Amino acid sequence: MGTLLEVEGLRVRFHTTEGVVHAVNGISYSMQEGETVALVGESGCGKSVSMMSILRLIPCPPGEVAEGRALFGRRDLLQLEEAELERIRGGQIGMVFQDPMTSLNPVLTIGRQITETLRAHTSSDAASARTRALELLDMVGLPAAEDRLQDYPHQFSGGMRQRAMIAMALACSPKLLIADEPTTALDVTIQAQIVELALQLRERLGMAIIWITHDLGVVAGLADRVLVMYAGYLVEEAPVHELFARPWHPYTLSLLAALPRVDRPRSSRLKPIPGSPPNLLAEAHGCPFAPRCDFVMDRCRTENPPLVQIEAGRKLACWANVETGQPR
């Protein structure tokens, strides 16, 4: 497999009346063709902004990509002309947004919205676009697809709207699908159905997936690799099974301790993460997790550790060894 996406030193800022928000702070990662990568972290850590910025979907102003490159097929998405980028967005990169009710146009039918995508990125005529739209709705498991083409978003349940959004994102058979917390507003049963659908589509279409979430429970059965993000920084990178078996960063350890698990005794209590996330108006000088960390040392308060490779396939940004409690 070749490298599909390579992000290098991405920094994103928002200029507000209160100051400059340091939303994404020099993150770097890559992903391979056909791979599923999960980007996890609590709300406000920069997950969605990092993905929206590489597609140049953040409002500018107040947003600004201050530094970095996003190489997709050897082309830097951050430097492309708008017309060329528009051919990639929706064509080679599909995106499923967090809230399908606000992402779908309420005054256009689902069929119109899917066929518009096809007409914009392919040479399809009206008849072939409609046929393809029916195939897509059937592929994502919407019953009575032909009848539903004429329905409006408000006539769909939350799970059905999300399936329609996935159909739109897959319309042009993209190489990469970015799913921004696509199960957040759905109940647990529907969440499981959407995750299972994503797995089936990945096997069927061979596309790569970036799955953005704060729910580590979803990640376990979906991703090949996990990137953990905190306060705009990547703090850990690991294959999914290794991350769950041996988390190395104190923040990852805390996330897992707060997650209900069937392999724990029923009497065990979930452990919340103390404190609050840092104020992103101030640029971090030490480790941003230091005020909430059980393994904090003097060095953590003055030096922010870089993300470095510790083992093959595993990267970490931490001065401590959580397994021994000693400096790394």
Side-chain angles (χ1 to χ4, degrees):
M1 293 189 299
T3 300
L4 179 65
L5 176 67
E6 189 168 4
V7 175
E8 301 174 355
L10 182 66
R11 294 183 183 273
V12 183
R13 304 286 182 258
F14 287 90
H15 299 272
T16 72
T17 55
E18 297 182 9
V20 178
V21 177
H22 300 80
V24 179
N25 299 303
I27 67 172
S28 298
Y29 62 91
S30 63
M31 66 180 302
Q32 306 301 306
E33 296 173 352
E35 183 183 26
T36 299
V37 172
L39 183 60
V40 305
E42 59 195 353
S43 297
C45 72
K47 305 184 303 295
S48 297
V49 168
S50 67
M51 291 298 113
M52 298 280 278
S53 62
I54 67 174
L55 294 178
R56 295 183 10 213
L57 292 175
I58 60 170
C60 182
E64 174 198 15
V65 178
E67 292 180 26
R69 298 197 303 167
L71 302 177
F72 181 77
R74 298 183 179 180
R75 290 182 293 176
D76 187 355
L77 299 175
L78 301 178
Q79 300 299 325
L80 293 180
E81 296 291 334
E82 185 63 27
E84 190 174 2
L85 184 63
E86 286 180 357
R87 288 194 289 271
I88 293 176
R89 288 193 304 234
Q92 298 180 49
I93 302 177
M95 187 156 186
V96 179
F97 295 94
Q98 187 168 353
D99 184 354
M101 195 61 228
T102 57
S103 301
L104 293 167
N105 191 324
V107 301
L108 296 180
T109 65
I110 293 297
R112 169 76 179 275
Q113 295 184 61
I114 297 175
T115 54
E116 271 191 350
T117 302
L118 289 163
R119 298 291 296 274
H121 292 282
T122 69
S123 58
S124 301
D125 57 22
S128 59
R130 187 178 188 280
T131 300
R132 174 63 174 160
L134 286 172
E135 292 174 358
L136 289 163
L137 291 183
D138 185 62
M139 183 191 300
V140 299
L142 270 176
E146 188 159 4
D147 296 331
R148 302 316 299 263
L149 277 180
Q150 303 307 313
D151 287 343
Y152 292 86
H154 73 271
Q155 296 174 277
F156 287 69
S157 67
M160 286 184 173
R161 285 196 293 266
Q162 200 59 286
R163 288 173 184 267
M165 279 292 300
I166 293 172
M168 289 176 62
L170 298 179
C172 301
S173 302
K175 297 178 181 178
L176 173 63
L177 176 68
I178 300 174
D180 185 5
E181 304 210 37
T183 62
T184 297
L186 307 177
D187 62 53
V188 176
T189 304
I190 305 302
Q191 283 185 19
Q193 292 176 6
I194 296 298
V195 171
E196 181 61 29
L197 173 62
L199 289 169
Q200 292 173 2
L201 293 174
R202 180 184 67 176
E203 294 302 317
R204 179 173 175 177
L205 304 175
M207 64 187 175
I209 300 175
I210 297 178
W211 192 279
I212 304 170
T213 184
H214 63 269
D215 187 352
L216 281 170
V218 171
V219 168
L222 177 68
D224 301 311
R225 190 159 50 95
V226 183
L227 306 176
V228 183
M229 199 166 181
Y230 183 78
Y233 295 90
L234 286 180
V235 297
E236 185 166 6
E237 176 182 331
V240 62
H241 298 301
E242 292 185 26
L243 186 92
F244 277 82
R246 294 175 60 215
W248 283 354
H249 197 280
Y251 177 57
T252 312
L253 198 66
S254 298
L255 285 177
L256 290 172
L259 182 70
R261 294 177 62 164
V262 296
D263 57 351
R264 288 197 185 120
R266 295 183 63 182
S267 59
S268 66
R269 299 177 64 86
L270 302 180
K271 183 182 177 183
I273 304 175
S276 302
N279 184 352
L280 297 182
L281 287 170
E283 194 164 6
H285 296 291
C287 174
F289 191 62
R292 311 173 74 185
C293 182
D294 293 332
F295 301 87
V296 64
M297 302 177 292
D298 289 341
R299 187 181 187 185
C300 304
R301 304 185 193 280
T302 58
E303 294 183 59
N304 192 2
L307 185 72
V308 296
Q309 185 161 320
I310 306 296
E311 290 181 1
R314 297 207 66 170
K315 294 181 180 180
L316 178 68
C318 186
W319 299 122
N321 186 328
V322 298
E323 296 176 329
T324 65
Q326 300 300 314
R328 184 173 291 277

